[in-house]
Amino acid sequence: MSARAVSIISSYDESKEQLLNKIPVAYIVYDPNASSSTSSSEEEDNTIDSSGATEEEKALEKLVQSTEMTRVFGQVARKLQAQGSFGMLSPSTTFEEITKFFDSTSSSNSNGIPTSGFIARIEEDVPIKLYTGEVTTDALTNFVQETNLAAVIDLGGHNFRFVSRRGKSVAVAVYNPEDTIKTTNFKKELKDYAVNGKYKDEYIYGTMDGIKWDKFLSQFSIQKENLPELFVLDVPNRTYWQDPSVFGVSNFITAVQIGEIEPREQEKRKSGVLDEVLQAFVDYMPYSLFFMLALFGTVFMLVVRLDDGPIMPPPPPREKKKEGEKEVEKEKTDSDDSADKKDK
């Protein structure tokens, strides 16, 4: 989050190295009219020039702000920086590299390069998807949020709930990690269908370790001895489709679509008050976490104050002694001192 929202790159391979090294999906923008010498407005230039950034950083920011397309792209990148990876092709990018981002759906000149520039979604081993909507912050934000999932997602406790509540059923390919050959072929078959299958847009596709998550998967009639196996899950409606007798990803998805495999209702798990509280905590993250931290902090402060002991009222003011009383007290003190000396 401390890095630049938009990385400047100059090749397709560089985009994979810098943008796809940690996140499977990235977004790229190219505009032939972009320039690092000036931004889209004089006011923006003044703001950038008066910043405390280095000259190199100022030039890069002006490049991002130089055209309407790149400016909107930069706004969306800053807004969604925690959810995606964003890059901009440098104006010095070669012709051969630019054509790797080109798609026939975009208008082009005689050299085959898009005349109006483009914004595209990129993913390893998946065809580039050009953005064809309006060049506005809201429209591009919606496009990024709708397409920022990988073609195939490795499902686990960290992302299952998020993925399964994206408005589509999830086709889950369950595998046995110990059977490497079958697992590799099964994952490849699933990705091929997720990219080119007849009903590819109807589902979200994911894989899951059948050994690690065997207890969770048992509620969908998935058994270790039948792995690898595919099933479809509709989490919000607690419905799933499973049939170990249907082999092949394409055959299974088609059977679900035409109704050959009947839907089943997921068994409701018995839950107590504690389970409901824990589920509510997960549902309302991160706000529930902030609440718990505030609660613990309040309790801690109260305990610390109690350890300091009760708050005692201040002692009453001492009354001034009269002159006679002072002399008597002084004589008594002197006699006590004399007695002490005799004792010594």
Side-chain angles (χ1 to χ4, degrees), residues 136-162:
T136 64
T137 302
D138 290 341
L140 183 56
T141 297
N142 291 336
F143 171 75
V144 172
Q145 291 178 331
E146 291 173 0
T147 61
N148 65 352
L149 288 180
V152 177
I153 307 156
D154 187 20
L155 298 171
H158 65 289
N159 63 2
F160 182 83
R161 190 173 184 81
F162 170 76

Side-chain angles (χ1 to χ4, degrees), residues 193-214:
Y193 190 89
V195 174
N196 304 308
K198 182 178 180 180
Y199 302 106
K200 62 179 182 179
D201 296 327
E202 301 296 322
Y203 302 91
I204 295 172
Y205 299 88
T207 60
M208 183 170 280
D209 187 333
I211 305 302
K212 182 178 180 180
W213 302 104
D214 60 329

Side-chain angles (χ1 to χ4, degrees), residues 103-253:
D103 188 275
S104 59
T105 58
S106 176
S107 59
S108 60
N109 57 24
S110 58
N111 293 326
I113 301 175
T115 56
S116 59
F118 63 85
I119 296 173
R121 172 194 183 277
I122 61 174
E123 181 183 353
E124 192 78 31
D125 299 327
V126 174
I128 290 174
K129 181 180 180 64
L130 284 182
Y131 173 66
T132 57
E134 296 182 42
V135 184
T136 64
T137 302
D138 290 341
L140 183 56
T141 297
N142 291 336
F143 171 75
V144 172
Q145 291 178 331
E146 291 173 0
T147 61
N148 65 352
L149 288 180
V152 177
I153 307 156
D154 187 20
L155 298 171
H158 65 289
N159 63 2
F160 182 83
R161 190 173 184 81
F162 170 76
V163 171
S164 62
R165 294 183 180 274
R166 291 286 293 254
K168 293 182 180 181
S169 297
V170 185
V172 184
V174 187
Y175 62 91
N176 183 348
E178 298 174 0
D179 193 339
T180 55
I181 296 178
K182 285 186 177 181
T183 296
T184 301
N185 294 335
F186 193 43
K187 288 183 176 181
K188 183 179 183 302
E189 183 184 358
L190 181 71
K191 188 164 187 175
D192 289 342
Y193 190 89
V195 174
N196 304 308
K198 182 178 180 180
Y199 302 106
K200 62 179 182 179
D201 296 327
E202 301 296 322
Y203 302 91
I204 295 172
Y205 299 88
T207 60
M208 183 170 280
D209 187 333
I211 305 302
K212 182 178 180 180
W213 302 104
D214 60 329
K215 291 183 179 179
F216 169 76
L217 293 167
S218 63
Q219 62 185 314
F220 307 112
S221 304
I222 302 297
Q223 301 177 357
K224 295 180 183 179
E225 54 269 20
N226 293 331
L227 300 182
E229 184 178 349
L230 182 69
F231 77 101
V232 172
L233 177 61
D234 182 350
V235 172
N237 295 318
R238 302 186 63 83
T239 304
Y240 70 98
W241 292 258
Q242 184 266 347
D243 189 341
S245 65
V246 180
F247 298 97
V249 174
S250 179
N251 293 336
F252 189 91
I253 296 296

Side-chain angles (χ1 to χ4, degrees), residues 29-35 63 66-71 88-91 114-118:
V29 63
Y30 168 71
D31 193 327
N33 299 316
S35 171
L63 180 63
S66 60
T67 70
E68 181 66 13
M69 179 181 292
T70 58
R71 185 183 65 81
M88 178 178 176
L89 277 173
S90 168
T115 56
S116 59
F118 63 85

